[in-house]
């Protein structure tokens, strides 16, 4: 920073204590301290420079990622970082890499699906990075439908081996990150065939490349699947293609925690319950929700700061023009996203608790809450990632023309984020799962069994079907109960309407297919209710710090009322609220935007992001935007020479009317 | 194509004549013939290859664009193409280039703002490309607020020259396309100062680079502003930065059609009315609307074809799985976009007529329809580009994981398209202009003057305020009048509500600022009504071809009812329709989706895009997706070597536990 803080006037306007809010955002003083320390460690080390990333060609880019990954690992060892610190450090390096899949999918797969013995054999190697693993499930022809995978693993009792094979082009593994160029091993998913029978998809540990010369082992073809969306972005990852030509692995490389194949080729189930696998899914999706709040908050931070720097129109003669954040349209686009970032943060925090609760119960043999927890994490993954992807792009547009430059950081943030809507479950497919769970819950209501967890409100369905909001004046909408009831009533009615319409079909599966668009709407309403209710629950806790709780209360109502406004058709058509109450909600929302305005910059400062992590000239902490934009521009390779390479061959003949003889 | 048409079964299902639909889409048999011929010309010429674009570094990419631009111009001359053909050819080359601004902004600026004499001096040079021009308006500090530009053009009566100067960093020109590396001249916008007085922003023709060595002229600094969003995409354009240090140009290079500076330095207005300038804006924005229909239809074409190739879930044992286009959620996301593409096509066609009508009137001294035409093009530019940008990304998501690969064509289509929401008027700023026009229209209703053109329905405002839909059964929603009336009533009421709320403010400007978010909503409702009404008008024409009209009728109602569903809050809260009618609309929509399904592929075939133009492995005409995806992957630079460059230095020491001594 060059000393002057151009945003100081904004910061001095804040009506709450930013340092206390930083703790709330981080989750705890400890979490804050670790994140703060790790982010500064990365930001202050030139080895982690990243602002040139969008200008690098694919090979250079990838080489640079390998260097950073190795360097990060070196630092982790040198500094004897804890697991928590190491994972924080990696996330602040802010560059997708093969290591993500190694730590995030390969190791958890062994932990979750491997026997004790297998874990002892493989985990030490993996944890020291003597082998690097990927997670090879998706194929060219099958992603969402995992049960349709075509790769086969056929047991050969003569040699006590599995033969891994890709019988068709579409059975080629396609997408696994880290596979294309780096992984030495893979958790490979294939149809288990023994004794002529197909037992469906199971996991296997397969060595892919030689640990000597790194070449693919015999019978194995591997490559990178090509350039992906955006500059830099996910192109630092080597998503790969993989084909097997009758590759043999020892029998004990099948992941055998839940089911096994015996020496004789008999398929047997172990006593470990299958449901444990869902526990892992709950875990992975919970981290995605928490990452959504981070990605969205980064975009919001950039757009908020820049909207205070950017002035356009409205200046009195000679005086300063209006900061674009003072325009109500800008606020109406940006503040709901700010509120969503906080909302997703808190629901993510709660999901972490839920995961631990579920695991505790599983260990005690209690599977009762698992389906609900599974549906709820699936739905929240879908909801938060969709909103975040759209929200990042909206933040880019909020920055006008300059948002379109890579130096704004927003193009890369968007491009690297969007696949989150697709991987770990396509967002629409996930919402359909939630809808299925809701329909089951409703079907069971008559049975006297009370719905649990986030579906508990369904237990009051009869009351909720009668509900009519009692809001009489704009301020009533500030009361959490009015908000919560309206969201509960809307969600319940959307689900009940679907259930009623489903009942008209003689074939329920046909009905589900036919009504799936409406079912998705009901699932979305349910998930929005969860987010609203967890935000409200958070506010019932003791939250220290001057003015902190007040800001969070405003954000909570902004989150809810903006949704109410956006999905007004739902609320009105189901009769939960009336048109007058809707208009009072709009009025209240406008007033809340005005209350947020002076706190906006401080509310994004509370995310505690370094300029390195933000990676945006527009979002700089000090607001010194224009000189830095100018400086950055000159670094583009196209500015290496005044007259561009190619001008003499192509453009000069055009200007000189000599194209006829030009070699083009 | 390799011979087999994998989509033949889809094509044979169509219930209308595709060849006739192609004519409807193109606008006329002549337009079809030219587009068809030019697109084939480009597609069949290897010089226009573009599928490697996402893999090129910035310099290579730009060099390649220069080559293509020169080659295209060579072909245009060799083949003696007409202006219409040449412009078609350029658009099928499908690569943003400096020539776009030369033909699209620089030449029109001279035509629109230059005197007869200036036109005679400059146009022949420009039209032979002996000079290449850019349009240099936006600065680092000012885009939307053109009146705030800081560059000065001070008249010096001693030498009869203007002195062009950049007094601040923020006054640097920033964004002009073609400026960074190529343009020899610019239409430069600067504050005209003469005799010590500032007359506001005017246009000047300024030579920027030497026609000998292409170096910037003395006192001029130029560079490229850096990498922009996406791979390939708009990075083929050299958007530039430009600073003047007291650069002198002859007085007669001020664009003097509307106002002049005399030899003595007196500022005088000519008899040519200022309003002519708005005519040009109507023209440019009309082309943007028509381009929106093209961009959206390309994305829809890709997603539709791929959704028929892609099968996931639902297969009976051994049988084929379900085509994902058969899922209702897929249809509910995709078919409204298909309908929007057609809707935008027709409203674009109508805008072309409107532009000619306005120009005819202007020439006859009739300015009465200009404000309405201006508001309506501004609003339609905003509406269609926002929907198209979001729609392209939705189409990408509809393709699942594979949509994220550059070889799907969708990432580049999105990245190159999105700035359309920002340039030629930020979409929110434009909608605020529409809202202003609507409020003026309402204010004048009392005066007895009938509102004209697209605001004519406001003349029936009293009736529309009483309106309650008479829809009683789902089929009623098929009647254009029911639809039109509901949209008119909703738009009128949204505007009237705003006007009523505005009246509560003592200072109307303050009121406008405070209520701007609601005003934008009213403007959107008005613009959606325009699109719906123009689609309905189109259907009142004679449309030949077996089954063609029927399909268009379905698309029209799908377009309208999907909006009704999405903006249901508007329709219900204003009381135009009730909840029962809303649910009948959903029901009708579902039934229309089923009717569209067998025609989907034929409806996108009607766009008549070549595989070259589509630039998508997923959208291939023959549906031969998987082998081609596989083939394309291997072309990535990362696959040049089996072991990636950098592996030995960085990853090997990691695997071998030798990081301590590695140089990273
Ligand atoms: C960046 C990235 C990284 C990845 N990393 C890995 C990895 O490391 N390892 C790995 O194994 N995989 C990986 N994947 C693959 C990823 O898991 C799949 O892409 C994902 O599961 C989606 O599946 P799909 O691509 O088959 O989508 P599809 O299922 O083909 O989706 C296409 C369309 O069909 C719709 N659809 C599909 N089924 C239904 C249904 N039943 N009802 C309604 N609509 C339906 C979808 O909503 C979507 O609109 C990665 C993908 C990406 C993009
Ligand atoms: C790819 C590209 C190509 C371009 N090519 C050219 C070119 O060839 N020549 C040229 O001269 N220019 C060019 N431009 C510049 C372009 O015209 C401007 O970016 C555009 O006019 C938007 O202005 P801005 O960037 O100042 O946005 P800003 O006005 O800074 O917008 C920032 C935010 O403020 C909001 N805002 C601004 N004013 C108001 C208001 N009054 N009320 C409410 N909200 C407001 C906007 O909605 C937006 O959210 C190009 C831009 C791009 C991205
Ligand atoms: Ca025919």
């Amino acid at each position: 920073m060059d000393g002057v803080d151009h945003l100081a006037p904004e910061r001095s306007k804040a009506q709450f204590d930013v340092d206390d809010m930083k703790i709330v955002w981080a989750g705890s003083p400890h979490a804050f301290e670790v994140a703060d320390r790790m982010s500064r460690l990365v930001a202050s080390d030139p080895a982690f420079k990243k602002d040139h990333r969008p200008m690098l060609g694919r090979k250079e880019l990838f080489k640079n990622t390998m260097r950073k990954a190795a360097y990060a690992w070196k630092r982790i060892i040198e500094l004897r970082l804890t697991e928590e610190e190491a994972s924080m450090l990696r996330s602040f390096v802010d560059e997708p890499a093969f290591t993500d899949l190694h730590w995030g999918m390969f190791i958890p797969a062994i932990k979750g699906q491997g026997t004790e013995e297998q874990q002892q054999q493989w985990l030490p190697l993996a944890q020291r990075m003597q082998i690097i693993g990927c997670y090879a499930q998706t194929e060219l022809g099958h992603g969402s439908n995992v049960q349709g995978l075509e790769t086969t693993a056929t047991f050969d009792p003569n040699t006590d081996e599995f033969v891994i094979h890709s019988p068709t082009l579409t059975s080629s593994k396609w997408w696994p990150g880290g596979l294309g160029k780096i992984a030495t091993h893979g958790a490979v998913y294939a149809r288990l065939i023994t004794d002529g029978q197909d037992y469906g998809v199971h996991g296997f540990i397969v060595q892919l490349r030689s640990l000597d010369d790194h070449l693919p082992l015999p019978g194995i073809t591997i490559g990178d699947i090509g350039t992906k969306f955006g500059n830099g972005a996910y192109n630092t990852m080597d998503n790969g293609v993989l084909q097997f030509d009758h590759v043999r692995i020892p029998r004990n490389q099948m992941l055998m925690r839940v089911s096994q194949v015996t020496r004789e080729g008999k398929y047997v189930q172990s006593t470990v319950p299958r449901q444990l696998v869902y526990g892992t899914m709950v875990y992975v999706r919970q981290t995605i929700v928490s990452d959504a709040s981070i990605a969205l908050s980064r975009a919001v931070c950039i757009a908020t700061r820049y909207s205070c720097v950017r002035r356009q129109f409205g200046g009195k003669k000679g005086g300063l023009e209006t900061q674009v954040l003072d325009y109500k349209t800008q606020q109406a686009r940006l503040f709901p996203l700010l509120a969503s970032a906080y909302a997703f943060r808190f629901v993510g925090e709660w999901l972490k608790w839920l995961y631990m609760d579920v695991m505790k119960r599983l260990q005690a043999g209690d599977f009762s809450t698992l389906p609900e927890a599974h549906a709820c994490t699936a739905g929240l993954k879908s909801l938060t990632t969709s909103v975040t992807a759209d929200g990042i792009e909206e933040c880019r547009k909020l920055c006008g023309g300059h948002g379109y430059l890579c130096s704004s950081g927003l193009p890369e943030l968007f491009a690297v984020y969007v696949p989150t809507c697709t991987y770990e479950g396509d967002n629409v497919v996930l919402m359909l799962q939630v809808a299925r769970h809701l329909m089951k819950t409703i079907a069971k209501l008559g049975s006297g069994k009370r719905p649990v967890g986030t579906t508990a409100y369904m237990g009051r369905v009869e009351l909720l079907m009668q509900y009519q909001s009692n809001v009489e004046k704009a301020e009533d909408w500030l009361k959490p109960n009015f908000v919560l009831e309206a969201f509960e009533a809307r969600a319940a009615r959307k689900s009940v309407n679907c259930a009623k319409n489903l009942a008209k079909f003689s074939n329920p599966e046909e009905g589900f297919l036919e009504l799936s668009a409406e079912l998705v709407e009901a699932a979305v309403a349910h998930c929005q209710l969860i987010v609203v209710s967890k935000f409200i629950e958070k506010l019932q806790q003791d939250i220290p710090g001057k003015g902190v709780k007040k800001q969070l209360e405003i954000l909570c109502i902004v989150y809810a009322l903006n949704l109410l406004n956006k999905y007004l058709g739902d609320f009105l058509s189901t009769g939960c609220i009336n048109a007058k109450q809707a208009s009072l909600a709009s009025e209240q929302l406008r007033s809340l935007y005005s209350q947020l305005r002076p706190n906006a910059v401080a509310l994004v400062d509370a995310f505690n992001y370094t300029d390195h992590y933000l990676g945006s000239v527009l979002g700089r902490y000090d607001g010194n935007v224009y000189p830095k934009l100018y400086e950055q521009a000159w670094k583009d390779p196209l500015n290496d020479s005044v007259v561009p390479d190619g001008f003499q061959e192509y453009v000069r003949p055009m200007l000189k009317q000599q194209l006829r003889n030009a070699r083009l």
Side-chain angles (χ1 to χ4, degrees), chain A:
Chain A
M1 327 231 162
D2 300 342
V4 182
D5 178 4
H6 297 263
L7 290 172
E10 287 294 330
R11 298 194 162 105
S12 70
K13 277 192 275 187
Q15 295 154 318
F16 68 98
D17 187 318
V18 177
D19 292 323
D20 289 315
M21 188 66 92
K22 284 182 178 176
I23 308 290
V24 175
W25 176 263
S28 72
H30 168 78
F32 171 77
E33 190 279 324
V34 176
D36 187 62
R37 187 158 40 85
M38 288 301 118
S39 69
R40 285 169 198 271
L41 189 72
V42 172
S44 63
D45 191 335
F48 292 124
K49 175 185 158 69
K50 63 177 184 173
D51 61 354
H52 59 319
R53 199 161 50 195
M55 294 174 238
L56 299 179
R58 185 86 203 278
K59 282 191 215 175
E60 262 181 297
L61 182 70
F62 190 70
K63 185 173 175 180
N64 207 32
T65 302
M66 286 187 270
R67 181 185 55 74
K68 285 187 192 177
Y71 182 76
W73 186 231
K74 186 181 177 188
R75 296 296 286 154
I76 287 167
I77 297 167
E78 284 172 353
L79 300 170
R80 298 168 196 273
L81 298 187
T82 62
E83 214 173 296
E84 183 193 19
E85 289 168 333
S87 120
M88 272 284 176
L89 182 135
R90 267 193 296 269
S91 86
F92 285 119
V93 170
D94 189 38
E95 190 157 307
F98 56 93
T99 42
D100 298 355
L101 285 299
H102 176 76
W103 295 106
M105 297 289 289
F106 180 70
I107 291 180
I110 297 175
K111 283 189 182 166
Q113 298 156 44
T115 60
E116 283 293 321
E117 220 184 327
Q118 289 176 316
Q119 297 192 30
Q120 275 167 29
Q121 180 185 354
W122 295 100
L123 287 181
L125 289 170
Q127 277 160 342
R128 286 194 301 262
M129 298 211 78
Q130 290 175 282
I131 63 172
I132 299 174
C134 67
Y135 185 86
Q137 178 175 300
T138 304
E139 298 173 354
L140 195 46
H142 288 92
S144 295
N145 181 15
V146 177
Q147 295 316 317
L149 294 177
E150 297 175 81
T151 303
T152 51
T154 310
F155 184 64
D156 178 351
N158 297 325
T159 59
D160 198 20
E161 289 171 323
F162 285 106
V163 182
I164 315 283
H165 187 60
S166 313
T168 59
L169 176 71
T170 48
S171 76
S172 310
K173 293 292 170 190
W174 187 272
W175 272 117
L179 165 65
K181 291 286 146 182
I182 301 293
T184 61
H185 289 68
V188 173
Y189 292 79
R191 317 196 72 79
L192 192 165
I193 296 168
T194 181
D195 218 3
Q197 200 174 329
D198 181 337
Y199 289 92
V201 176
H202 288 71
F204 301 83
I205 299 179
V206 183
Q207 182 171 352
L208 303 171
R209 287 182 168 95
S210 155
L211 290 170
D212 289 331
D213 59 12
H214 201 61
L215 294 180
L217 294 183
I220 291 181
T221 307
I222 321 185
D224 183 273
I225 58 169
T227 308
K228 290 152 295 202
F229 198 169
N231 324 70
Y234 220 82
N235 290 305
T236 57
M237 183 70 86
D238 53 333
N239 296 93
V241 48
L242 163 64
Q243 289 169 313
F244 297 101
D245 181 5
H246 300 94
V247 172
R248 291 178 166 267
I249 58 168
R251 179 171 55 92
N252 70 5
Q253 287 179 211
M254 169 181 170
L255 289 165
M256 300 226 214
R257 187 168 179 205
V258 173
S259 46
Q260 290 128 27
V261 169
T262 65
R263 176 63 191 90
E264 295 73 36
K266 252 195 126 109
Y267 181 81
V268 287
Q269 298 278 6
S270 83
T271 55
V272 177
R274 282 201 163 274
Q275 285 93 331
L276 274 179
V277 179
Y278 290 107
T280 315
M281 262 156 90
V282 171
Y283 175 76
V284 173
R285 289 181 185 157
Q286 163 256 309
T287 64
I288 293 183
V289 171
S290 148
D291 289 348
S293 75
I294 293 179
L296 184 55
S297 61
R298 286 171 74 174
V300 166
C301 180
I302 295 167
T304 301
R305 288 182 183 159
Y306 179 64
S307 292
C308 290
V309 172
R310 186 67 171 174
R311 294 172 180 272
Q312 207 75 188
F313 294 105
K316 303 270 162 355
K317 259 224 134 91
L320 283 173
E321 290 167 274
T322 306
Q323 292 169 297
V324 296
L325 192 57
D326 286 332
Y327 292 116
K328 291 287 162 184
T329 45
Q330 194 85 351
Q331 295 176 9
R333 294 155 73 197
L334 184 52
F335 289 164
L337 295 173
L338 174 63
S340 301
Y342 275 92
F344 296 170
R345 190 74 190 168
F346 299 139
V347 84
E349 213 170 61
W350 169 76
L351 271 183
K352 213 175 286 177
W353 169 85
L354 180 74
Y355 167 70
M356 292 190 296
D357 182 64
V358 164
M359 291 314 282
K360 236 186 326 194
R361 288 170 191 267
L362 284 184
Q363 251 109 50
D366 168 7
F367 301 104
S368 64
T369 65
L370 191 58
E372 186 268 324
H374 184 245
C376 145
T377 35
L380 289 172
K381 182 275 183 185
S382 174
L383 180 78
T384 59
T385 57
S386 289
V387 170
T388 297
D390 293 349
I392 296 169
E393 170 62 6
E394 183 69 6
C395 286
R396 198 192 58 71
K397 291 207 182 87
L398 283 161
C399 295
H402 301 344
Y404 191 57
L405 285 169
C406 287
S407 55
S408 80
L410 292 163
E412 193 177 16
L413 194 55
F414 180 78
V416 83
Y417 190 76
V418 286
T420 320
C421 298
T422 304
Y423 61 54
E424 281 304 318
D426 171 272
N427 280 354
V428 171
V429 175
L430 290 179
M431 277 298 177
L432 287 168
Q433 291 177 11
V434 176
R436 250 178 224 283
H437 179 71
L438 292 174
M439 293 306 106
K440 271 190 205 153
T441 306
I442 289 184
K444 282 194 211 144
L445 281 182
S447 76
K449 234 183 103 188
R450 292 249 135 220
V452 297
T454 57
T455 51
Y457 70 102
M458 291 281 193
R460 289 177 280 117
V461 69
E462 270 154 46
L463 267 172
L464 289 173
M465 294 304 285
Q466 313 292 333
Y467 178 80
Q468 285 192 331
S469 174
N470 286 322
V471 164
E472 286 174 356
K473 47 190 194 306
E475 300 80 61
D476 286 342
W477 280 120
L478 298 175
K479 298 178 192 149
N481 264 352
F482 279 113
V483 170
L484 194 59
E485 286 165 3
F487 273 81
E488 285 180 346
R490 166 217 184 200
R493 290 180 200 189
K494 296 280 288 184
S495 277
V496 169
N497 283 348
C498 282
K500 279 188 191 152
N501 289 332
L502 274 178
K504 295 179 196 155
F505 287 79
S506 55
N507 178 337
E509 268 316 297
E510 238 168 56
F512 195 88
L513 284 173
E514 181 63 24
L515 300 176
S516 57
E518 287 72 17
L519 283 157
V520 165
E521 284 183 23
V524 167
H526 171 71
C527 294
Q528 289 172 341
L529 164 64
I530 301 177
V531 180
V532 168
S533 69
K534 295 305 159 190
F535 206 149
I536 290 175
E537 279 176 23
K538 172 84 189 176
L539 294 175
Q540 284 156 357
Q541 295 172 16
D542 185 37
I543 300 177
K546 177 185 153 261
V548 168
K549 191 166 194 164
K550 169 80 188 163
Q551 293 304 316
L552 295 177
E553 282 165 355
I554 294 175
L555 288 168
C556 176
I557 303 296
V558 163
Y559 179 75
L561 293 189
N562 172 64
L563 282 182
L564 185 139
N565 211 10
K566 200 166 158 189
Y567 292 81
L568 191 55
D570 277 8
F571 289 90
L572 292 175
S573 68
T574 53
C576 306
I577 69 168
N578 60 37
K580 170 76 187 151
Q581 293 165 330
S583 127
L584 292 172
S586 293
E587 194 183 310
Q588 186 55 63
L589 203 49
R590 270 205 304 278
S591 142
L592 292 173
Y593 291 158
S594 302
Q595 294 173 50
L596 274 184
R597 171 64 188 89
N599 297 291
V601 166
L603 283 168
V604 303
D605 284 349
F607 306 145
N608 198 43
Y609 295 141
T610 63
D611 278 350
H612 171 273
Y613 187 59
L614 270 189
S616 167
V617 174
L618 303 186
R620 291 171 61 91
Y621 182 84
D622 67 3
N624 189 27
V625 168
Y626 295 119
K628 296 295 171 181
L629 262 181
Y630 187 78
E631 222 176 283
Q632 188 65 20
W634 292 102
K635 295 181 189 157
D636 196 88
L638 212 48
N639 287 324
D640 286 351
S641 62
V642 178
V643 176
D645 181 30
F647 176 84
Q648 306 298 348
E649 294 116 283
Y650 306 129
V651 184
R652 199 180 157 80
M654 202 158 147
L655 285 166
K656 299 304 174 197
Q657 316 288 295
Q658 295 162 340
L659 272 185
R660 197 163 314 174
N661 312 313
R663 295 185 49 190
L664 301 176

